Amino acid sequence: MNKLVAGIVAFGLSITDPVIVSAQEVIDFKHQDNNYYYQTLNSQNAAHYTYKIPANAFGVFTLKNNSNSSDFDLYVHENKSWKLLNKGENQGIQTELITTPIFSEDGYVYIKIVNSGSQISQYQFYANHVSPAEKAVIPFAAAIICGFQGCLLYTS
């Protein structure tokens, strides 16, 4: 009976719960100058971040193993419902690259980086968001401007 209770408690603690998360150190992630963020993480430990994604955009997250000696995994949850949006669990030192669905309104994601390996190691983390609407406007605007200026557009 004690093993059953211990198993249930362990399973319960493994589920991401807002109360547990608020007790951990969570960093509001803001990258600067489009650079990677570096951090060293002990074996079997995790780092926690929140990241804001504006309306009509999706998140893009890259996690690289800087030390080549441990396995890092990346998990991105929706911050309100704690629903898992995407995860990167590549084996070994492979880079994790994941995206989120498009957010219809401004929102935050909860990011968890786990050192699944047996070594103290350094990772590189990059967070960004992309707005497909803004990216689509640029070629359209360029076509209109070139039309007024008499540009020639070449296609292959």
Side-chain angles (χ1 to χ4, degrees), residues 53-120:
I53 299 176
N56 303 312
F58 62 91
V60 178
F61 305 97
T62 306
L63 179 65
K64 293 182 179 182
N65 187 332
N66 197 34
S67 64
N68 294 326
S69 63
S70 200
D71 179 15
F72 289 101
D73 296 318
L74 176 63
Y75 303 91
V76 177
H77 296 264
E78 196 277 325
N79 210 24
K80 289 181 184 175
S81 68
W82 300 98
K83 174 185 172 189
L84 181 65
L85 297 175
N86 206 341
K87 61 184 176 179
E89 295 179 324
N90 291 334
Q91 296 296 314
I93 61 170
Q94 294 179 357
T95 297
E96 313 286 349
L97 173 62
I98 62 174
T99 61
T100 68
I102 294 177
F103 278 46
S104 60
E105 57 186 40
D106 287 0
Y108 285 86
V109 291
Y110 167 75
I111 301 159
K112 182 177 180 181
I113 297 173
V114 178
N115 181 349
S116 301
S118 59
Q119 302 287 325
I120 296 172

Coordinates of all heavy atoms in Angstrom, one line a residue, residues 53-120:
I53 N 4.1 36.1 -26.3 CA 3.9 36.0 -27.8 C 2.8 36.9 -28.1 O 1.7 36.8 -27.5 CB 3.6 34.6 -28.2 CG1 4.8 33.6 -27.8 CG2 3.3 34.5 -29.7 CD1 4.5 32.2 -28.1
P54 N 3.0 37.9 -29.0 CA 1.9 38.8 -29.3 C 0.8 38.2 -30.2 O 1.0 37.1 -30.7 CB 2.6 39.9 -30.1 CG 3.9 39.4 -30.5 CD 4.2 38.2 -29.6
A55 N -0.3 38.8 -30.2 CA -1.5 38.4 -31.0 C -1.1 38.2 -32.5 O -0.2 38.9 -33.0 CB -2.6 39.3 -30.9
N56 N -1.6 37.1 -33.1 CA -1.4 36.8 -34.5 C 0.1 36.5 -34.8 O 0.6 36.8 -35.9 CB -1.9 38.0 -35.4 CG -3.3 38.3 -35.2 OD1 -4.2 37.4 -35.2 ND2 -3.7 39.5 -35.0
A57 N 0.7 35.9 -33.9 CA 2.1 35.4 -34.0 C 2.3 34.0 -33.4 O 1.4 33.6 -32.7 CB 3.1 36.4 -33.4
F58 N 3.4 33.4 -33.8 CA 3.7 32.1 -33.1 C 5.1 32.2 -32.6 O 5.9 32.9 -33.0 CB 3.5 30.9 -34.1 CG 4.4 31.0 -35.3 CD1 5.6 30.4 -35.3 CD2 3.9 31.6 -36.5 CE1 6.4 30.4 -36.5 CE2 4.7 31.6 -37.6 CZ 6.0 31.0 -37.6
G59 N 5.4 31.3 -31.6 CA 6.7 31.3 -31.0 C 7.6 30.3 -31.7 O 7.2 29.3 -32.2
V60 N 8.9 30.7 -31.7 CA 9.9 29.9 -32.3 C 11.0 29.8 -31.2 O 11.6 30.8 -30.8 CB 10.5 30.5 -33.6 CG1 11.6 29.6 -34.1 CG2 9.4 30.7 -34.6
F61 N 11.4 28.5 -30.8 CA 12.3 28.3 -29.7 C 13.4 27.3 -30.2 O 13.1 26.3 -30.7 CB 11.6 27.8 -28.5 CG 10.5 28.6 -28.1 CD1 9.2 28.4 -28.4 CD2 10.7 29.8 -27.3 CE1 8.1 29.2 -28.1 CE2 9.7 30.6 -26.9 CZ 8.4 30.3 -27.3
T62 N 14.7 27.7 -29.9 CA 15.8 26.9 -30.3 C 16.6 26.6 -29.0 O 16.9 27.6 -28.3 CB 16.7 27.6 -31.3 OG1 15.9 27.9 -32.4 CG2 17.8 26.7 -31.8
L63 N 17.0 25.4 -28.8 CA 17.8 25.0 -27.7 C 19.0 24.2 -28.2 O 18.8 23.2 -28.8 CB 17.0 24.2 -26.7 CG 17.7 23.6 -25.5 CD1 18.2 24.8 -24.6 CD2 16.8 22.7 -24.7
K64 N 20.2 24.7 -28.0 CA 21.5 24.0 -28.4 C 22.2 23.6 -27.2 O 22.3 24.2 -26.2 CB 22.3 25.0 -29.2 CG 21.8 25.4 -30.6 CD 22.7 26.3 -31.3 CE 22.2 26.6 -32.7 NZ 23.2 27.5 -33.4
N65 N 22.9 22.5 -27.4 CA 23.8 21.9 -26.3 C 25.2 22.6 -26.5 O 25.8 22.2 -27.5 CB 23.8 20.4 -26.4 CG 24.6 19.8 -25.3 OD1 25.5 20.4 -24.7 ND2 24.2 18.6 -24.9
N66 N 25.6 23.4 -25.7 CA 26.8 24.2 -25.8 C 28.0 23.4 -25.3 O 29.2 23.6 -25.7 CB 26.8 25.5 -25.1 CG 27.8 26.5 -25.5 OD1 28.2 26.5 -26.6 ND2 28.3 27.2 -24.5
S67 N 27.8 22.4 -24.5 CA 28.9 21.6 -23.9 C 29.2 20.3 -24.6 O 30.2 19.7 -24.3 CB 28.6 21.4 -22.4 OG 27.5 20.5 -22.3
N68 N 28.3 19.9 -25.4 CA 28.5 18.6 -26.1 C 28.6 17.4 -25.2 O 29.2 16.4 -25.5 CB 29.6 18.6 -27.1 CG 29.4 19.6 -28.2 OD1 28.3 19.8 -28.7 ND2 30.5 20.2 -28.7
S69 N 28.1 17.5 -23.9 CA 28.2 16.4 -23.0 C 27.0 16.0 -22.3 O 27.0 15.2 -21.4 CB 29.3 16.8 -22.0 OG 28.9 17.9 -21.2
S70 N 25.8 16.6 -22.6 CA 24.6 16.3 -21.9 C 23.4 16.4 -22.9 O 23.6 16.8 -24.0 CB 24.4 17.2 -20.7 OG 23.5 16.6 -19.8
D71 N 22.3 15.9 -22.4 CA 21.1 15.9 -23.3 C 20.1 16.9 -22.7 O 19.6 16.7 -21.5 CB 20.5 14.5 -23.3 CG 19.2 14.4 -24.1 OD1 18.9 15.3 -24.9 OD2 18.5 13.4 -24.0
F72 N 19.7 17.9 -23.4 CA 18.8 18.9 -23.0 C 17.5 18.7 -23.7 O 17.5 18.4 -24.9 CB 19.3 20.3 -23.2 CG 20.4 20.8 -22.3 CD1 21.7 20.8 -22.8 CD2 20.1 21.1 -21.0 CE1 22.7 21.1 -22.0 CE2 21.2 21.5 -20.2 CZ 22.5 21.5 -20.7
D73 N 16.3 18.8 -23.0 CA 15.0 18.7 -23.6 C 14.3 20.0 -23.3 O 14.5 20.7 -22.3 CB 14.2 17.5 -23.0 CG 14.9 16.2 -23.4 OD1 15.4 16.1 -24.6 OD2 15.0 15.4 -22.5
L74 N 13.3 20.4 -24.2 CA 12.6 21.6 -24.2 C 11.1 21.4 -24.2 O 10.6 20.6 -25.1 CB 13.0 22.5 -25.5 CG 12.4 23.8 -25.7 CD1 12.7 24.8 -24.6 CD2 12.9 24.3 -27.1
Y75 N 10.4 22.0 -23.3 CA 8.9 21.9 -23.3 C 8.3 23.3 -23.2 O 8.7 24.1 -22.5 CB 8.5 21.1 -22.0 CG 9.2 19.8 -21.9 CD1 10.4 19.6 -21.3 CD2 8.6 18.6 -22.5 CE1 11.0 18.3 -21.2 CE2 9.2 17.4 -22.5 CZ 10.4 17.3 -21.8 OH 11.0 16.0 -21.8
V76 N 7.3 23.5 -24.0 CA 6.6 24.8 -24.1 C 5.1 24.5 -23.8 O 4.4 23.8 -24.5 CB 6.7 25.5 -25.4 CG1 6.0 26.8 -25.5 CG2 8.2 25.7 -25.7
H77 N 4.6 25.2 -22.7 CA 3.2 25.1 -22.3 C 2.5 26.4 -22.5 O 3.1 27.5 -22.3 CB 3.1 24.7 -20.8 CG 3.7 23.4 -20.5 ND1 2.9 22.2 -20.4 CD2 5.0 23.0 -20.3 CE1 3.7 21.2 -20.1 NE2 4.9 21.6 -20.0
E78 N 1.2 26.3 -22.7 CA 0.4 27.5 -22.7 C 0.3 27.9 -21.2 O 0.0 27.1 -20.4 CB -1.0 27.2 -23.3 CG -1.8 28.5 -23.7 CD -2.5 29.1 -22.5 OE1 -3.0 28.3 -21.7 OE2 -2.6 30.3 -22.5
N79 N 0.5 29.2 -20.9 CA 0.6 29.6 -19.5 C -0.7 29.7 -18.8 O -0.7 29.6 -17.6 CB 1.3 31.0 -19.5 CG 2.1 31.2 -18.2 OD1 2.5 30.3 -17.6 ND2 2.2 32.5 -17.8
K80 N -1.9 29.8 -19.5 CA -3.2 29.8 -18.7 C -3.7 28.4 -18.4 O -4.1 28.2 -17.3 CB -4.2 30.5 -19.6 CG -4.0 32.0 -19.7 CD -5.1 32.6 -20.6 CE -4.9 34.1 -20.8 NZ -5.8 34.7 -21.7
S81 N -3.7 27.5 -19.3 CA -4.2 26.2 -19.1 C -3.2 25.1 -18.8 O -3.5 24.0 -18.5 CB -5.0 25.8 -20.4 OG -4.1 25.6 -21.5
W82 N -1.9 25.5 -19.0 CA -0.8 24.6 -18.8 C -0.8 23.4 -19.8 O -0.1 22.4 -19.6 CB -0.7 24.0 -17.4 CG -0.5 25.2 -16.4 CD1 -1.5 25.8 -15.7 CD2 0.7 25.9 -16.1 NE1 -1.0 26.8 -15.0 CE2 0.3 26.9 -15.2 CE3 2.0 25.8 -16.6 CZ2 1.3 27.8 -14.7 CZ3 2.9 26.7 -16.1 CH2 2.5 27.7 -15.2
K83 N -1.5 23.6 -20.9 CA -1.5 22.6 -22.0 C -0.2 22.6 -22.7 O 0.4 23.7 -23.0 CB -2.6 23.0 -23.0 CG -2.7 22.2 -24.2 CD -3.7 22.7 -25.2 CE -3.5 21.9 -26.5 NZ -4.3 22.5 -27.6
L84 N 0.4 21.4 -22.9 CA 1.6 21.3 -23.6 C 1.4 21.7 -25.1 O 0.6 21.0 -25.8 CB 2.2 19.8 -23.5 CG 3.5 19.6 -24.2 CD1 4.6 20.4 -23.5 CD2 3.8 18.1 -24.2
L85 N 2.1 22.7 -25.6 CA 2.0 23.1 -27.0 C 3.0 22.4 -27.9 O 2.6 22.1 -29.0 CB 2.3 24.6 -27.0 CG 1.3 25.5 -26.3 CD1 1.7 27.0 -26.4 CD2 -0.1 25.4 -26.8
N86 N 4.2 22.1 -27.4 CA 5.2 21.4 -28.2 C 6.3 21.0 -27.3 O 6.5 21.6 -26.2 CB 5.7 22.3 -29.3 CG 6.2 21.5 -30.5 OD1 6.4 20.3 -30.4 ND2 6.2 22.1 -31.7
K87 N 7.1 20.0 -27.7 CA 8.2 19.6 -27.0 C 9.3 19.2 -27.9 O 9.1 18.8 -29.0 CB 7.9 18.5 -26.0 CG 7.4 17.2 -26.7 CD 7.0 16.2 -25.7 CE 6.4 15.0 -26.4 NZ 6.0 13.9 -25.5
G88 N 10.6 19.3 -27.5 CA 11.7 18.9 -28.2 C 12.5 17.9 -27.3 O 13.0 18.3 -26.3
E89 N 12.5 16.6 -27.7 CA 13.2 15.6 -26.9 C 14.2 14.8 -27.8 O 14.3 13.6 -27.7 CB 12.2 14.7 -26.3 CG 11.2 15.3 -25.3 CD 10.2 14.4 -24.7 OE1 9.7 13.5 -25.5 OE2 9.9 14.5 -23.5
N90 N 14.9 15.5 -28.6 CA 15.9 14.9 -29.4 C 17.0 14.2 -28.5 O 17.2 14.7 -27.4 CB 16.6 15.9 -30.4 CG 15.7 16.3 -31.5 OD1 14.8 15.7 -31.9 ND2 16.0 17.5 -32.0
Q91 N 17.6 13.2 -29.0 CA 18.5 12.4 -28.2 C 19.9 13.1 -28.3 O 20.3 13.7 -29.2 CB 18.7 11.0 -28.7 CG 17.4 10.2 -28.6 CD 17.0 10.0 -27.1 OE1 17.8 9.6 -26.3 NE2 15.7 10.2 -26.8
G92 N 20.6 12.9 -27.2 CA 22.0 13.4 -27.1 C 22.2 14.9 -27.3 O 21.4 15.7 -26.7
I93 N 23.1 15.3 -28.1 CA 23.4 16.8 -28.2 C 22.7 17.4 -29.4 O 23.1 18.5 -29.7 CB 24.9 16.9 -28.3 CG1 25.5 16.3 -29.5 CG2 25.6 16.5 -27.0 CD1 26.9 16.6 -29.8
Q94 N 21.7 16.8 -30.0 CA 21.0 17.4 -31.1 C 20.3 18.7 -30.7 O 19.8 18.7 -29.6 CB 20.0 16.4 -31.7 CG 20.7 15.2 -32.3 CD 19.6 14.2 -32.9 OE1 18.4 14.5 -32.7 NE2 20.1 13.2 -33.5
T95 N 20.2 19.6 -31.6 CA 19.5 20.9 -31.3 C 18.0 20.6 -31.3 O 17.5 19.9 -32.1 CB 19.9 21.9 -32.4 OG1 21.3 22.2 -32.4 CG2 19.1 23.2 -32.3
E96 N 17.3 21.3 -30.4 CA 15.9 21.3 -30.3 C 15.4 22.5 -31.0 O 15.8 23.6 -30.7 CB 15.4 21.2 -28.9 CG 16.1 20.2 -28.0 CD 15.7 18.8 -28.2 OE1 14.8 18.5 -28.9 OE2 16.4 17.9 -27.7
L97 N 14.4 22.4 -31.9 CA 13.8 23.5 -32.6 C 12.3 23.3 -32.6 O 11.9 22.3 -33.2 CB 14.3 23.7 -34.0 CG 13.6 24.8 -34.8 CD1 13.8 26.2 -34.2 CD2 14.1 24.8 -36.3
I98 N 11.5 24.1 -31.9 CA 10.1 23.9 -31.9 C 9.3 25.2 -32.1 O 9.9 26.3 -31.8 CB 9.6 23.2 -30.6 CG1 9.9 24.1 -29.3 CG2 10.2 21.8 -30.4 CD1 9.4 23.5 -28.1
T99 N 8.1 25.1 -32.5 CA 7.2 26.3 -32.7 C 5.9 26.0 -31.9 O 5.6 24.9 -31.5 CB 6.9 26.5 -34.2 OG1 6.2 25.4 -34.7 CG2 8.2 26.8 -34.9
T100 N 5.2 27.1 -31.8 CA 3.9 27.0 -31.2 C 2.8 27.3 -32.2 O 3.1 27.8 -33.3 CB 3.7 28.1 -30.0 OG1 3.7 29.4 -30.6 CG2 4.8 28.0 -29.0
P101 N 1.6 27.0 -32.0 CA 0.5 27.5 -32.9 C 0.4 29.0 -32.8 O 1.0 29.6 -31.9 CB -0.8 26.9 -32.3 CG -0.3 25.8 -31.3 CD 1.0 26.2 -30.9
I102 N -0.3 29.6 -33.8 CA -0.5 31.0 -33.8 C -1.4 31.4 -32.7 O -2.5 30.8 -32.5 CB -1.0 31.5 -35.2 CG1 0.0 31.2 -36.3 CG2 -1.4 33.0 -35.1 CD1 -0.5 31.6 -37.6
F103 N -1.0 32.5 -31.9 CA -1.9 33.0 -30.8 C -2.9 34.0 -31.4 O -2.5 34.9 -32.1 CB -1.0 33.7 -29.8 CG -0.3 32.7 -28.8 CD1 0.3 31.6 -29.2 CD2 -0.4 33.0 -27.5 CE1 0.9 30.7 -28.4 CE2 0.2 32.1 -26.6 CZ 0.8 31.0 -27.0
S104 N -4.1 33.9 -31.1 CA -5.1 34.8 -31.5 C -5.1 36.1 -30.7 O -5.6 37.2 -31.2 CB -6.5 34.2 -31.5 OG -6.8 33.8 -30.2
E105 N -4.6 36.1 -29.5 CA -4.4 37.3 -28.7 C -3.1 37.2 -28.0 O -2.5 36.1 -27.9 CB -5.6 37.4 -27.7 CG -5.7 36.2 -26.8 CD -7.0 36.3 -25.9 OE1 -8.0 36.7 -26.4 OE2 -6.9 35.9 -24.7
D106 N -2.7 38.3 -27.4 CA -1.4 38.3 -26.7 C -1.5 37.2 -25.6 O -2.5 37.1 -24.9 CB -1.2 39.7 -26.0 CG -0.8 40.8 -26.9 OD1 -0.7 40.5 -28.2 OD2 -0.6 41.9 -26.5
G107 N -0.4 36.5 -25.4 CA -0.4 35.5 -24.4 C 1.1 35.1 -24.0 O 2.0 35.5 -24.7
Y108 N 1.2 34.4 -22.9 CA 2.5 33.9 -22.4 C 2.6 32.4 -22.6 O 1.6 31.7 -22.5 CB 2.7 34.3 -21.0 CG 2.9 35.8 -20.8 CD1 1.9 36.7 -20.7 CD2 4.3 36.3 -20.7 CE1 2.2 38.1 -20.5 CE2 4.5 37.6 -20.6 CZ 3.5 38.5 -20.5 OH 3.8 39.8 -20.3
V109 N 3.8 32.0 -22.8 CA 4.1 30.6 -22.7 C 5.0 30.3 -21.6 O 5.8 31.2 -21.2 CB 4.7 30.0 -24.0 CG1 3.7 30.0 -25.2 CG2 6.0 30.7 -24.4
Y110 N 4.9 29.1 -21.0 CA 5.8 28.7 -20.0 C 6.8 27.7 -20.6 O 6.4 26.7 -21.3 CB 5.0 28.0 -18.9 CG 5.8 27.2 -17.9 CD1 6.5 27.9 -16.9 CD2 5.8 25.8 -17.9 CE1 7.3 27.1 -16.0 CE2 6.5 25.1 -17.0 CZ 7.3 25.8 -16.0 OH 8.0 25.1 -15.1
I111 N 8.1 27.9 -20.4 CA 9.1 27.2 -21.1 C 9.9 26.4 -20.0 O 10.3 27.0 -19.0 CB 10.1 28.1 -21.9 CG1 9.3 28.8 -22.9 CG2 11.2 27.3 -22.5 CD1 10.0 30.1 -23.4
K112 N 10.1 25.2 -20.2 CA 10.9 24.4 -19.3 C 12.0 23.7 -20.0 O 11.8 23.0 -21.0 CB 10.0 23.3 -18.6 CG 10.8 22.4 -17.6 CD 9.8 21.5 -16.9 CE 10.4 20.6 -15.9 NZ 9.5 19.6 -15.3
I113 N 13.3 23.9 -19.6 CA 14.5 23.3 -20.2 C 15.0 22.3 -19.1 O 15.3 22.7 -18.0 CB 15.5 24.3 -20.5 CG1 15.0 25.3 -21.6 CG2 16.8 23.7 -21.0 CD1 15.9 26.5 -21.9
V114 N 15.2 21.1 -19.5 CA 15.6 20.0 -18.6 C 16.9 19.4 -19.1 O 17.1 19.1 -20.2 CB 14.5 18.9 -18.6 CG1 15.0 17.8 -17.6 CG2 13.2 19.4 -18.1
N115 N 17.9 19.3 -18.1 CA 19.1 18.6 -18.4 C 18.9 17.2 -18.1 O 18.9 16.8 -16.9 CB 20.3 19.2 -17.5 CG 21.6 18.5 -17.8 OD1 21.7 17.5 -18.5 ND2 22.7 19.1 -17.3
S116 N 18.6 16.4 -19.1 CA 18.3 14.9 -18.9 C 19.6 14.1 -18.8 O 19.5 12.9 -18.6 CB 17.4 14.4 -20.1 OG 16.2 15.2 -20.1
G117 N 20.7 14.7 -19.0 CA 22.0 14.0 -19.0 C 22.5 13.8 -17.6 O 21.9 14.2 -16.6
S118 N 23.7 13.3 -17.5 CA 24.4 13.0 -16.2 C 25.5 14.0 -16.0 O 26.3 13.8 -15.0 CB 24.9 11.6 -16.2 OG 25.9 11.4 -17.3
Q119 N 25.7 15.0 -16.8 CA 26.8 16.0 -16.6 C 26.2 17.4 -16.4 O 25.2 17.8 -16.9 CB 27.6 16.1 -17.9 CG 28.2 14.7 -18.3 CD 29.4 14.3 -17.4 OE1 30.1 15.2 -16.9 NE2 29.5 13.0 -17.2
I120 N 27.0 18.2 -15.6 CA 26.7 19.6 -15.5 C 27.1 20.2 -16.9 O 28.2 20.0 -17.3 CB 27.5 20.3 -14.4 CG1 27.1 19.7 -13.0 CG2 27.3 21.8 -14.4 CD1 28.0 20.2 -11.9

